[in-house]
Amino acid sequence: MPGFERFDDAERKEVQEVLETGVLFRYGFDAARKGRWKALEFEKALSARLGVQYCHLCSSGTAALSIALAACGIGAGDEVIVPPFTFVATIEAVLLAGAIPVFTEIDETLCMDPDALKHVLSPRTKAVLVVHMCGAMARIDEIAALCREHEVILIEDACQAMGATFHGKALGTFGHMGCFSFDPVKTLTCGEGGAVVCDDENRYLTAARYADHGHDHRGGDRGLEGHPIMGTNFRISELNAAVGLAQLRKLDAFLKTQRAHKGKLMDMLRAFPKITPRRIPDEAGDSATFFSFFLPDETSARTTAAALSRKGVDSCFYWYDNNWHYHRQWDHLKGLRSPARLPIMLSAPRPDYQGLRLPQSDRIMGRTISMLIKLSWSDDDLKKRMDLMAEVFSQV
Ligand SMILES: *Cc1c(COP(=O)(O)O)cnc(C)c1O
């Protein structure tokens, strides 16, 4: 998955062009920058690639989530439905917005289960924050239909799903706003960076302003620009944007390699009927950053994960025990252990996070192993890996 596996002269050239001008800031300095606008160029290229009207780059995927929540009008006391399997940043963004995360179950897509969501949606729900985990999609058509029916905002955390599609449409473009990350381990990386995308001009303008202290970006003098709203600084630098621009041009090549590797792993898996692949609503749209599979039960999953590790099959994740990606280990969050008082601490009633029980998600995650698919594997690396995996799988 990680785009840093394919850094080369293309990234160096883009960065060099920025350094030559000395302008590392995305706004202004029109004369000095010699027509080089890396953030702007990246935004245009990404909008075109995803088939969306508007894109605003920002400093991280976490910032993108905060921007999307703000631009969609989600704030203090608003309930946002979230899944328990995600990078913890998703939940942090909701809490920092002053909103209240309400958890619902995932299904065998490893993403939010629309059948469970139906029962969690309530008159207090303001938004649904769906996360497309491990490179592939939730049942996003069903989730989007439910959100329309209940007239709630739908935000997509597509930080792990760059380049993935559902029936040809890019993930991140099904809801009111989509969020992406370009952190060091994502499909495209620029060190630190993120993006929000949408088709609504007003939401886009609010996003771009919010991420830059409320600047309306009108006229040529930053000091004289208007401030229709308050905001903060979630800006990306030109250096980061330059790297991202070079990476974006490689996205199709990355996807091709990942999908070819995953195809071979899927073929291998067919010999082991007790082990089943993750459910993917549109297999062709998987960005194939991960190869995820289910063991028959938690015990065999633990044994298999341990055996893979013993054999040296690296980059396998047993998320059920992971400190950062599954709710079981989020005691800091459930205890609201924050350095300062959060708005949620003033709201009553609020969900009982300590007592949070998600039996369906636990049953699924307890059986799940995901293997990172690397761009740098040679045919020989992959063959050796599959031989070792076959030895382990035959013991199940
Ligand atoms: C990486 C990630 C984020 C946060 O992105 P950063 O750029 O690291 O802040 C948010 N959500 C998910 C699902 C992620 O994987």
Side-chain angles (χ1 to χ4, degrees):
M1 156 166 91
F4 68 75
E5 294 181 278
R6 296 270 179 89
F7 278 162
D8 56 30
D9 284 344
E11 284 79 6
R12 282 188 280 276
K13 176 173 172 287
E14 289 294 331
V15 171
Q16 194 56 36
E17 284 185 13
V18 175
L19 289 174
E20 277 164 15
T21 67
V23 182
L24 311 188
F25 192 56
R26 69 159 300 172
Y27 297 112
F29 299 93
D30 294 30
R33 66 193 312 140
K34 301 183 182 154
R36 290 167 191 174
W37 301 87
K38 299 302 179 187
L40 208 57
E41 206 182 323
F42 189 177
E43 284 165 355
K44 285 193 181 133
L46 189 58
S47 313
R49 180 65 176 72
L50 300 175
V52 77
Q53 286 283 321
Y54 303 102
C55 167
H56 185 74
L57 287 182
C58 56
S59 51
S60 70
T62 310
L65 289 160
S66 291
I67 294 167
L69 287 162
C72 290
I74 309 301
D78 292 337
E79 288 194 6
V80 181
I81 302 180
V82 293
F85 178 46
T86 177
F87 179 51
V88 70
T90 316
I91 318 299
E92 289 170 335
V94 175
L95 287 170
L96 287 176
I100 300 173
V102 174
F103 286 89
T104 187
E105 301 272 14
I106 57 160
D107 61 20
E108 291 200 347
T109 63
L110 302 184
C111 304
M112 189 181 279
D113 176 2
D115 298 322
L117 174 61
K118 260 181 222 148
H119 303 291
V120 180
L121 279 159
S122 84
R124 290 186 310 279
T125 308
K126 280 286 169 63
V128 170
L129 179 36
V130 64
V131 186
H132 300 292
M133 280 303 277
C134 303
M137 73 241 46
R139 289 152 64 192
I140 190 63
D141 52 343
E142 294 173 65
I143 292 170
L146 274 172
C147 289
R148 274 193 301 274
E149 191 185 310
H150 289 259
E151 297 180 352
V152 300
I153 293 284
L154 174 60
I155 297 173
E156 291 171 271
D157 178 341
C159 287
Q160 295 195 10
M162 175 54 75
T165 53
F166 178 69
H167 298 322
K169 186 172 161 61
L171 300 190
T173 67
F174 285 82
H176 295 87
M177 222 156 204
C179 305
F180 293 92
S181 163
F182 311 112
D183 86 14
V185 292
K186 296 302 201 286
T187 305
L188 304 181
T189 178
C190 67
E192 298 283 2
V196 289
V197 300
C198 67
D199 277 321
D200 180 288
E201 187 182 10
N202 283 325
R203 271 194 200 104
Y204 158 71
L205 287 174
T206 304
R209 290 167 178 176
Y210 181 72
D212 184 25
H213 304 293
H215 274 268
D216 67 2
H217 304 126
R218 292 209 176 119
D221 183 340
R222 268 180 76 78
L224 295 177
E225 284 177 3
H227 35 57
I229 54 169
M230 290 193 300
T232 183
N233 177 2
F234 285 138
R235 292 184 308 250
I236 194 166
S237 90
E238 284 287 277
L239 288 173
N240 296 74
V243 176
L245 189 55
Q247 286 264 293
L248 180 58
R249 296 190 188 114
K250 299 176 180 177
L251 178 59
D252 288 318
F254 290 178
L255 294 174
K256 193 167 170 229
T257 303
Q258 287 169 178
R259 285 170 177 161
H261 290 337
K262 187 189 154 196
K264 288 183 187 166
L265 290 161
M266 288 287 276
D267 287 343
M268 190 267 301
L269 193 67
R270 285 196 189 94
F272 305 95
K274 283 189 190 154
I275 308 175
T276 51
R278 165 190 186 179
R279 176 176 170 196
I280 297 186
D282 174 19
E283 190 67 42
D286 182 8
S287 66
T289 51
F290 281 93
F291 173 55
S292 300
F293 45 91
F294 303 118
L295 278 295
D297 50 45
E298 187 184 327
T299 310
S300 56
R302 286 184 183 280
T303 314
T304 302
L308 287 168
S309 159
R310 252 195 330 273
K311 293 243 181 225
V313 181
D314 66 358
S315 306
C316 291
F317 297 86
Y318 184 59
W319 302 115
Y320 195 51
D321 288 345
N322 187 290
N323 267 347
W324 297 95
H325 293 80
Y326 193 57
H327 82 93
R328 268 193 351 134
Q329 258 65 247
W330 293 345
D331 49 308
H332 62 322
L333 194 141
K334 292 181 188 179
L336 297 178
R337 285 207 294 276
S338 165
R341 196 153 57 153
L342 293 167
I344 192 175
M345 294 171 183
L346 305 178
S347 49
R350 61 170 182 263
D352 169 20
Y353 297 118
Q354 299 288 7
L356 183 64
R357 296 285 176 275
L358 296 159
Q360 176 178 312
S361 304
D362 284 352
R363 271 197 306 279
I364 292 165
M365 292 315 292
R367 299 194 292 125
T368 305
I369 297 176
S370 294
M371 176 183 291
L372 185 67
I373 293 178
K374 291 200 181 158
L375 292 166
S376 52
W377 288 340
S378 66
D379 287 348
D380 197 43
D381 292 338
L382 187 53
K383 187 174 177 314
K384 282 195 189 124
R385 170 173 292 263
M386 290 196 300
D387 288 346
L388 293 170
M389 288 168 74
E391 281 176 41
V392 173
F393 286 0
S394 64
Q395 301 299 310
V396 173

